[in-house]
Amino acid sequence: MDATAPYLDFWPRIQKSLASADIETAWFHCTYTLTPHAAYPTQFEEAVEALRYIVEDLGRSPSQILLAGDSAGANLCLAVLSHLTHPSDGVPDVEASEHRDIDAREVMTEWSRAYPNGWPSNNYIEAAEASEGWWNNTQVQQILVLAGGDEALLDPIKAWVNRFKVSGYRI
């Protein structure tokens, strides 16, 4: 998530709310290299490495981990989930509308072109393109998807949710 005041205030409020319900939490906020400084699969590899660090180095059980992200970060969460069930070659395994968004069309077009770095589209780059069966046996207990009504990518998010639901998961 962006390092802006609303996001930086959001997670501590969630943590306080959980603490008031006697739910102890720890937070690991990771960053990834932005385009144009790096392109796919760099960010995907960094996200997998962050999860590997939490599981293997910090010793956290996968059942204790919540993946969360906004926009491209959410797509990285889906790429990591895909990788857990369908390991991607070359990535280490882990044991365990222009008027609807704040970004200018030119910027979104450039980011969309730069991120794949010449790679053809795949289920790790565009989770919404994965078939319904791709999500069978995804290694999660629950998933929460949030999208604003003015989210530029609302239609593909809804399409992904519908595909994911077919696998029998509750969203």
Side-chain angles (χ1 to χ4, degrees):
M1 296 185 171
D2 296 331
T4 58
Y7 283 130
L8 294 175
D9 292 340
F10 177 76
W11 290 112
R13 284 195 319 266
I14 296 295
Q15 189 171 24
K16 286 179 186 175
S17 178
L18 292 170
S20 69
D22 292 325
I23 300 172
E24 184 181 331
T25 59
W27 303 88
F28 179 85
H29 297 268
C30 60
T31 60
Y32 51 88
T33 308
L34 300 175
T35 56
H37 305 291
Y40 181 84
T42 301
Q43 298 83 356
F44 177 33
E45 292 169 341
E46 290 170 343
V48 169
E49 174 56 23
L51 181 59
R52 188 216 54 79
Y53 170 77
I54 294 167
V55 172
E56 296 177 17
D57 294 354
L58 297 181
R60 296 290 185 180
S61 166
S63 65
Q64 297 175 312
I65 298 171
L66 168 71
L67 300 178
D70 184 34
S71 193
N75 191 65
L76 281 174
C77 290
L78 296 177
V80 169
L81 287 179
S82 287
H83 180 62
L84 290 172
T85 308
H86 310 279
S88 176
D89 291 338
V91 177
D93 289 341
V94 178
E95 296 300 325
S97 150
E98 74 181 275
H99 303 290
R100 296 177 65 185
D101 207 300
I102 61 170
D103 295 316
R105 172 181 268 182
E106 302 80 35
V107 173
M108 292 182 73
T109 300
E110 178 59 23
W111 288 348
S112 296
R113 184 200 59 73
Y115 176 70
N117 193 31
W119 285 68
S121 182
N122 61 49
N123 297 340
Y124 306 97
I125 293 174
E126 292 187 71
E129 298 299 319
S131 67
E132 293 172 354
W134 178 262
W135 301 106
N136 291 343
N137 302 315
T138 300
Q139 299 178 32
V140 295
Q141 292 177 356
Q142 299 176 20
I143 189 164
L144 171 67
V145 177
L146 302 173
D150 291 331
E151 165 65 54
L153 301 173
L154 186 58
D155 292 337
I157 291 168
K158 286 180 177 179
W160 176 82
V161 165
N162 289 333
R163 284 195 183 116
F164 194 79
K165 282 181 178 178
V166 170
S167 297
Y169 295 97
R170 201 176 93 228
I171 295 184

